[in-house]
Amino acid sequence: MKFNKNMLRLYAVTDRAWVGRQSLYEQISDAIDGGVTIVQLREKNLSEDEFIREAEKICVLCHEKGIPLIINDNYNVALKVGADGVHVGIEDAPVEKIREIAGDDFIIGATAKTVEQAQNAEKSGADYIGVGAVFPSPTKRNAIRITNAQLEEITSSVNIPAVAIGGITLENVDEVNCRGLSGIAVVSAVFSAENIKNASALLREKAERLINK
């Protein structure tokens, strides 16, 4: 799937902490139907074989609905299941290594918490950066917060698209104030919602307004 920055509008990162009444598959399906534009499958506690089996099913779902699937950290899983790309953190495999292995059409996202990290990601061949945490994050309690001014400094230092991430909810998304963002990334705001489809639709509306300020 050819990458473009509009894919980043509402970026959903999975977390199975809220799996129960619905399966993760069903949650992702509802999120896409509500307005999510890209899905990152994040699994920290599965074996690689289990991760592959799950990712294969989610990949089919996303592609049937015309949405790119990004795998968190593990580019080997992404390549094996035919996912569209991978997102890597500062301590994961280097972007340039993944680009060399996966080729030009593979989407690579990279976490950037500083201007230097953002510029390094761009030089290494990343397609986009994820910048945060813009609010306290329930999924990464040790994440260091950045201000709107720092967010804009980072995003304006590169030419590749950027998404804001970290503790973004329906209640606080309007406080994100940064020119040049291409989207917002959310976790609990989607997957902890009682009605995931409705929550995704409301977040998509807010994301569109934020990007088009």
Side-chain angles (χ1 to χ4, degrees):
M1 200 175 294
K2 186 72 174 175
F3 175 73
N4 71 79
K5 66 180 183 179
N6 293 329
M7 291 175 172
L8 302 173
R9 281 291 193 267
L10 182 57
Y11 191 136
V13 182
T14 67
D15 188 331
R16 60 175 51 254
W18 297 283
V19 168
R21 184 170 51 86
Q22 288 182 298
S23 67
L24 187 63
Y25 183 99
E26 291 168 331
Q27 290 178 331
I28 293 170
S29 181
D30 281 356
I32 296 171
D33 289 345
V36 160
T37 55
I38 188 168
V39 171
Q40 182 186 137
L41 185 61
R42 184 175 186 269
E43 291 288 6
K44 295 293 189 181
N45 299 310
L46 295 184
S47 68
E48 185 152 315
D49 286 344
E50 290 172 321
F51 198 174
I52 288 169
R53 286 195 294 272
E54 178 186 64
E56 285 173 338
K57 297 174 186 175
I58 302 303
C59 191
V60 171
L61 170 67
C62 288
H63 289 173
E64 284 177 347
K65 292 179 178 288
I67 296 296
L69 175 66
I70 304 297
I71 300 296
N72 178 263
D73 294 351
N74 196 324
Y75 66 89
N76 286 318
V77 169
L79 291 170
K80 284 176 182 176
V81 305
D84 300 282
V86 69
H87 185 95
V88 290
I90 307 302
E91 298 176 355
D92 297 319
V95 170
E96 57 264 61
K97 176 185 176 182
I98 300 171
R99 180 63 70 207
E100 186 177 328
I101 293 169
D104 291 339
D105 293 333
F106 192 69
I107 301 169
I108 304 176
T111 298
K113 299 177 183 296
T114 65
V115 167
E116 181 182 14
Q117 290 172 357
Q119 293 176 339
N120 286 341
E122 182 175 36
K123 288 174 187 174
S124 299
D127 293 292
Y128 73 89
I129 53 172
V131 187
V134 293
F135 299 107
S137 171
T139 57
K140 291 191 175 182
R141 299 188 183 278
N142 61 345
I144 299 171
R145 284 192 64 185
I146 63 171
T147 65
N148 279 320
Q150 290 170 320
L151 176 63
E152 188 159 332
E153 181 185 19
I154 294 167
T155 60
S156 64
S157 72
V158 293
N159 294 310
I160 55 176
V163 293
I165 189 168
I168 297 173
T169 66
L170 272 170
E171 292 72 31
N172 65 23
V173 64
D174 293 328
E175 297 173 32
V176 179
N177 187 11
C178 172
R179 292 170 297 178
L181 279 178
S182 293
I184 56 170
V186 292
V187 187
S188 59
V190 166
F191 292 106
S192 72
E194 188 170 334
N195 189 317
I196 288 175
K197 185 176 179 180
N198 285 353
S200 298
L202 293 170
L203 282 161
R204 176 67 181 275
E205 288 177 15
K206 286 181 175 283
E208 294 290 349
R209 288 201 295 271
L210 174 65
I211 303 314
N212 293 309
K213 273 184 179 177

